[in-house]
């Protein structure tokens, strides 16, 4: 108790520069999350103070060294290093859910003009099962995807299928329009309408273009800030099953895919969280029940090359949604785009029905 006033006197004597340096050092240590120092640093520093206490004197210059060290040591001991930030971010819900789904399903979204080959379009439409027609798009601006000035649109001219109708194309002939597009691995420079909706081509009004750019930015933030939510339903079970892929083969591999499908919609966030897995499958095959209303075969056969390919087939089976066809293998960029689309799908699930 008799030593207390002397200690207070010390703080008063060196409380100017020495104590300020100590505070500043403590702030800096917390700002960079300095790991706790070895206990010997703290013990040695405290022993110096004990020596001061016994002798009753210390030069101010020596204290200016000791107090910053003590401040850093004590701040590191008392204030633990902050935990790593969560792996991702929570994006706002989309303003227009239909636009969000279409954007997620599109590899390339451009503003441009096309000249519709009317005669070829009419002949293709008169075919019993439809036919493809190629038409150039002169690009005026890119909303999503790589920069380009001109590209080829391959349009399937049949009003029996979902997607833009011939009347939609003729209405926007040589007019500025928004094109939502996807490609195939066989011809990466040829594009098709994305999303199975007539909205894949629409007038490029200023509000429509602004809305598309805003949604594209939102989805880029989701992909760049993607996080793995280990608290998602069925996460542990999904993690265990996916870890078996690339190890088991043949029937055992098929059983893993079947079990993932049976987990159903509640497991979608967990599957999407872990789907970007580029390990090779032991058996390039997955067989799933064909649940389409107008099905012409009972089973759907795919030839996935990597784990991510097979998981895309599972997600499509469970949700009936598609963000790029990679079930038979694909290029790295095509896989990247598909994974990004599914991340948007999973991120938007809390916003309402997909």
């Amino acid at each position: 108790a008799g030593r207390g006033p002397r200690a207070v006197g010390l703080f008063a004597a060196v409380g100017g520069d020495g104590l300020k340096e100590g505070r500043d050092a403590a702030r800096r240590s917390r700002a960079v999350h300095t790991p706790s120092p070895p206990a010997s640093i703290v013990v040695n520093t405290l022993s110096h103070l004990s020596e001061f206490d016994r002798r009753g004197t210390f030069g101010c210059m020596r204290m200016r060294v000791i107090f910053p060290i003590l401040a850093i040591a004590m701040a590191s001991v008392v204030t633990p290093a902050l935990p790593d930030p969560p792996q991702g971010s929570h994006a706002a819900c989309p303003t227009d859910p239909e636009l969000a789904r279409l954007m997620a399903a599109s590899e390339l979204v451009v503003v441009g003009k096309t000249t519709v080959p009317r005669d070829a379009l009419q002949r293709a439409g008169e075919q019993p099962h439809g036919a493809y027609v190629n038409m150039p798009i002169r690009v005026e601006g890119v909303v999503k995807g790589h920069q380009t000035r001109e590209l080829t649109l391959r349009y399937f001219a049949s009003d029996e299928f979902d997607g833009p109708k011939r009347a939609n194309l003729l209405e926007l002939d040589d007019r500025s329009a928004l094109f939502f597009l996807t490609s195939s691995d066989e011809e990466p420079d040829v594009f098709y309408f994305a999303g199975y909706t007539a909205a894949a081509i629409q007038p490029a009004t200023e509000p429509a273009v602004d809305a598309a750019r805003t949604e594209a930015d939102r989805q880029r933030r989701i992909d760049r800030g993607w996080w793995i939510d280990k608290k998602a339903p069925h996460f542990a079970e999904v993690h265990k099953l996916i870890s078996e892929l690339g190890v088991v083969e043949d029937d055992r591999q098929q059983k893993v895919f079947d079990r993932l499908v049976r987990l159903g919609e509640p497991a979608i966030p967990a599957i999407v969280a872990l789907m970007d897995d580029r390990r090779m499958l032991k058996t390039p095959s997955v067989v799933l029940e064909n649940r389409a209303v107008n099905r012409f075969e009972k089973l759907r056969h795919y030839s996935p090359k990597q784990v991510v390919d097979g998981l895309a087939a599972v997600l499509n089976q469970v949700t009936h949604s598609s963000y790029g066809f990679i079930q038979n293998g694909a290029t790295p960029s095509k896989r990247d785009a598909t994974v990004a689309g599914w991340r948007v799908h999973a991120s938007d699930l809390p916003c309402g029905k997909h």
Side-chain angles (χ1 to χ4, degrees):
R3 296 172 182 171
R6 292 165 61 185
V8 172
L10 168 67
F11 277 88
V14 299
D17 293 341
L19 192 56
K20 180 177 184 298
E21 290 176 13
R23 290 197 198 99
D24 292 344
R27 290 193 195 100
R28 288 193 297 271
S29 84
R30 285 193 292 270
V32 298
H33 312 309
T34 306
S36 297
S40 59
I41 295 179
V42 180
V43 172
N44 290 339
T45 305
L46 292 175
S47 69
H48 281 302
L49 289 181
S50 297
E51 182 181 352
F52 158 77
D53 209 18
R54 289 195 305 272
R55 298 179 181 178
T57 181
F58 243 138
C60 285
M61 293 301 294
R62 191 169 184 183
M63 289 308 301
R64 289 189 183 188
V65 175
I66 292 175
F67 270 93
I69 295 174
L70 177 62
I72 293 173
M74 296 306 294
S76 301
V77 172
V78 176
T79 306
L82 296 177
D84 291 334
Q87 300 180 38
S89 59
H90 300 278
C93 290
T95 303
D96 183 343
E98 291 187 6
L99 173 61
R101 287 191 290 272
L102 179 55
M103 184 68 69
S106 304
E107 292 177 61
L108 184 65
V109 181
V110 301
V111 178
K113 294 180 180 179
T114 186
T115 300
V116 178
R118 293 174 177 264
D119 292 342
L121 186 65
Q122 182 176 348
R123 289 194 300 271
E126 292 171 351
Q127 298 295 318
H129 303 291
Y132 282 104
V133 177
N134 288 351
M135 53 190 76
I137 296 178
R138 302 178 298 281
V139 177
E140 300 169 345
V142 176
V143 175
K144 175 184 177 180
H146 63 275
Q147 295 294 324
T148 183
R149 293 186 177 182
E150 187 166 314
L151 55 87
T152 299
L153 169 67
R154 180 166 293 171
Y155 173 68
F156 190 70
S158 173
D159 290 344
E160 296 179 3
F161 290 86
D162 295 332
K165 310 304 181 186
R166 285 174 288 174
N168 301 128
L169 288 173
L170 292 171
E171 181 184 354
L172 292 171
D173 185 16
D174 275 326
R175 292 177 56 193
S176 187
L178 264 170
F179 295 85
F180 295 81
L181 307 169
T182 188
S183 67
S184 70
D185 286 339
E186 290 76 16
E187 296 177 278
D189 296 328
V190 176
F191 291 84
Y192 303 80
F193 282 122
Y196 305 103
T197 171
I201 182 173
Q202 52 187 277
T205 63
E206 185 174 346
V209 175
D210 287 346
R213 292 190 185 281
T214 299
E215 179 57 30
D217 288 340
R218 187 187 75 92
Q219 295 192 8
R220 275 190 287 269
R221 289 195 298 273
I222 291 173
D223 186 42
R224 291 172 182 171
W226 182 248
W227 60 303
I228 296 177
D229 183 4
K230 296 182 180 180
K231 296 181 181 179
H234 300 289
F235 184 88
E237 184 176 1
V238 168
H239 184 276
K240 181 178 182 299
L241 289 170
I242 292 179
S243 68
E244 294 178 16
L245 296 174
V247 179
V248 299
E249 56 188 332
D250 299 328
D251 290 344
R252 291 180 63 192
Q253 176 182 286
Q254 180 63 47
K255 288 179 180 178
V256 171
F257 286 123
D258 291 340
R259 289 178 63 184
L260 288 168
V261 170
R262 284 197 297 270
L263 289 176
E265 292 190 2
I268 291 172
I271 296 173
V272 173
L274 299 169
M275 78 174 295
D276 194 14
D277 188 333
R278 308 299 173 99
R279 290 176 299 141
M280 301 299 293
L281 291 169
K282 289 290 186 179
T283 303
S285 172
V286 60
V287 181
L288 301 173
E289 179 186 355
N290 190 347
R291 299 174 180 173
V293 176
N294 57 345
R295 66 183 183 183
F296 57 89
E297 57 182 358
K298 184 178 180 180
L299 300 174
R300 296 192 295 173
H301 297 259
Y302 298 113
S303 303
K305 307 301 185 294
Q306 298 181 359
V307 173
V308 63
D309 307 338
L311 295 178
V314 168
L315 289 167
N316 172 252
Q317 180 77 359
V318 174
T319 67
H320 308 294
S321 297
S322 177
Y323 299 100
F325 187 83
I326 64 172
Q327 285 89 316
N328 292 329
T331 62
S333 61
K334 186 79 171 180
R335 289 184 173 110
D336 290 343
T338 298
V339 169
W342 280 110
R343 286 175 175 176
V344 173
H345 180 105
S347 180
D348 288 351
L349 282 176
C351 301
K353 185 176 177 63
H354 252 268

